[in-house]
Amino acid sequence: MLTLNETHDPQLKSWVSSANEPDTDFPIQNLPFGVFRRRQAAEGFRIGVAIGDQILDLRALRGAQVFDGGAQIGLDACQGNTLNALMAAGVDIWTTLRLALSRALREGSSLRPQLEPLLVPQSEAEYALPATIGDYTDFYASIHHATTVGKQFRPDNPLMPNYKWVPIGYHGRASSVVVSGESFPRPCGQLKPKDADQPSFGASQRLDYEAEMGIFIGPGNALGTRIDIDRTENHIFGMCILNDWSARDIQAWEYQPLGPFLAKSFASTISPWVVTLEALLPYRTAWERPAEDPQPLPYLTSERNKAEGAYDIQMEVLLTTDKSRSSQAEPARLSRTSFRHSYWNVAQMVAHHTVNGCNLQSGDLLGTGTQSGPTPEEAGSLLELTVGGQKPLELPWDEKRTFLADGDEVIMRAWCEKPGYVRIGFGEARGKVLPAQL
Ligand code: CA
């Protein structure tokens, strides 16, 4: 079981001075993992840990042979160009490696002379997907999102009767998950406006984003077995930001009866850094189900899950456009919310996913579904913010949006903060819409 320990101590400082800035996403209390190389360099992608505005090269660190025991075994699992082997190594190795990295990067560490040459500035880096993602499952865990979207289709009956009992999800497309910074063309497909007799083929006119968190699976479970809710944290490596781009017009026509398909499978953008569950420990909080709602079935609940099943992760969505960038305007903030409002939490999603004996595998990605807070301004998609495209958003540079235009870039950020602890962040998930390839 993960416990608070010396790596969470808010007094810790690093000899990497940028890690001590109050607004950094990557203080020494964070230590997220990612896959990087120097931009357009003739070198392979490799695993690193973010510290301040630098990346510590873990492949090179293994070569330096300054760690031993479980920490060196952890580095042995960091020799490839994906995190899958480290994800499979298990929570004891993750915890041991984190402690060794924390001690080595602290102010006063005797290892500084050996580690300092292994730093690469983030400003010189480019990133690859953190893992080879075998399967991507997307949940629908925010009741505020489900209710607001449901109202647009069924004003009298927004929530389906199963919603408060089942963590709803569907199997997404892993091959089109891309890392922050990659652009993609506006998707094409079948579109059928309500007043048309038949569909036509064309570029989506209702392209949207979805602000989600992503969950990376650590060690999997064997086919036919299930993961108990109180053992889920042994099977979760960490979390990232996820933008599950969605073509609402393609979706509206295709989704019945089997759910989303081509409306979602053209691109999903994740942040390059995976923040471990151990780093997120201080920001866990009570998970509450309203007393008037059905209480979860036994496999979806436990005392521990009630006490600290929710994660208070702040999430925000920003937008730039061709026009805003040409005038160097600041990105417009479209919304902000917290993952703590989620109706279903991370442990419940993993317990539910495996309750039928489905085997999760290291590197699998689960999306939480669009995270919208209780107020309209906290909505995690344009579909909600513009009421299905009826109420355009006014941008600060004299432009309006209902859905995304070509050239629009969506930037998602996430971070945790709490009195008595150091702020930690996820970096960002950024993606730009290119013109359709008709
Ligand atoms: Ca989604």
Side-chain angles (χ1 to χ4, degrees), residues 46-338:
R46 54 200 185 271
I47 295 173
V49 158
I51 177 79
D53 61 8
Q54 305 288 311
I55 304 166
L56 178 63
D57 181 337
L58 294 192
R59 182 184 289 173
L61 181 63
R62 175 176 178 259
Q65 300 206 318
V66 295
F67 289 174
D68 52 21
Q72 188 66 16
I73 294 170
L75 291 181
D76 290 345
C78 294
Q79 293 315 292
N81 54 11
T82 69
L83 287 168
N84 295 70
L86 182 63
M87 289 168 166
V91 64
D92 291 342
I93 293 293
W94 307 334
T95 295
T96 306
L97 179 57
R98 172 180 164 86
L99 178 61
L101 289 168
S102 172
R103 288 177 174 168
L105 287 164
R106 279 178 208 171
E107 251 175 12
S109 164
S110 62
L111 295 176
R112 176 175 179 172
Q114 287 130 296
L115 266 62
E116 205 156 18
L118 312 182
L119 295 175
V120 174
Q122 288 167 25
S123 60
E124 295 174 15
E126 62 182 353
Y127 300 97
L129 280 178
T132 301
I133 301 168
D135 274 300
Y136 162 45
T137 300
D138 199 20
F139 283 90
Y140 195 55
S142 163
I143 197 168
H144 305 296
H145 173 72
T147 304
T148 307
V149 172
K151 263 185 199 153
Q152 294 184 16
F153 295 96
R154 300 173 300 276
D156 302 331
N157 182 27
L159 273 189
M160 292 292 186
N162 57 4
Y163 189 85
K164 293 182 176 180
W165 294 96
V166 182
I168 299 292
Y170 73 100
H171 289 278
R173 183 79 197 164
S175 65
S176 53
V177 179
V178 297
V179 75
S180 179
E182 285 197 38
S183 305
F184 62 90
R186 173 180 298 275
C188 294
Q190 287 198 24
L191 316 170
K192 186 187 163 300
K194 279 201 179 78
D195 49 4
D197 294 333
Q198 57 184 46
S200 57
F201 177 80
S204 171
Q205 301 302 305
R206 290 163 67 88
L207 182 60
D208 199 355
Y209 58 80
E210 293 192 330
E212 308 194 13
M213 297 305 298
I215 300 156
F216 270 109
I217 297 300
N221 57 303
L223 184 68
T225 68
R226 67 184 62 148
I227 301 175
D228 181 84
I229 190 161
D230 278 339
R231 293 189 51 80
T232 51
E233 69 188 37
N234 293 342
H235 293 268
I236 301 169
F237 179 73
M239 297 177 68
C240 64
I241 305 167
L242 167 64
N243 180 354
D244 185 35
W245 305 94
S246 298
R248 301 300 182 194
D249 36 13
I250 297 173
Q251 184 179 357
W253 172 234
E254 76 173 5
Y255 88 101
Q256 289 177 317
L258 287 184
F261 181 33
L262 302 184
K264 304 277 190 174
S265 60
F266 57 93
S268 309
T269 301
I270 61 172
S271 57
W273 296 111
V274 184
V275 177
T276 61
L277 279 209
E278 189 172 1
L280 290 167
L281 202 51
Y283 314 99
R284 284 167 70 152
T285 185
W287 178 84
E288 284 157 4
R289 172 61 52 92
E292 64 273 23
D293 282 8
Q295 298 306 299
L297 290 177
Y299 77 93
L300 290 172
T301 190
S302 75
E303 288 309 310
R304 179 164 157 79
N305 190 255
K306 281 183 200 163
E308 52 179 8
Y311 288 79
D312 190 13
I313 300 172
Q314 313 303 314
M315 305 168 65
E316 77 175 0
V317 181
L318 304 115
L319 179 73
T320 72
T321 69
D322 283 340
K323 185 173 180 179
S324 78
R325 291 189 298 273
S326 68
S327 60
Q328 273 121 47
E330 287 290 305
R333 188 164 84 186
L334 303 185
S335 66
R336 186 180 156 183
T337 188
S338 167

Side-chain angles (χ1 to χ4, degrees), residues 324-401:
S324 78
R325 291 189 298 273
S326 68
S327 60
Q328 273 121 47
E330 287 290 305
R333 188 164 84 186
L334 303 185
S335 66
R336 186 180 156 183
T337 188
S338 167
F339 181 42
R340 75 173 181 276
H341 300 302
S342 191
Y343 195 78
W344 297 104
N345 61 50
V346 171
Q348 289 169 328
M349 289 182 229
V350 172
H352 182 67
H353 204 312
T354 61
V355 75
N356 65 343
C358 172
N359 52 328
L360 296 177
Q361 302 186 88
S362 301
D364 281 359
L365 178 67
L366 313 186
T368 61
T370 310
Q371 290 298 314
S372 299
T375 68
E377 307 78 59
E378 292 174 275
S381 70
L382 287 174
L383 183 67
E384 293 158 90
L385 290 171
T386 69
V387 195
Q390 295 176 58
K391 203 179 128 198
L393 288 182
E394 306 269 352
L395 301 174
W397 48 81
D398 195 27
E399 252 188 318
K400 291 181 184 178
R401 282 292 180 277

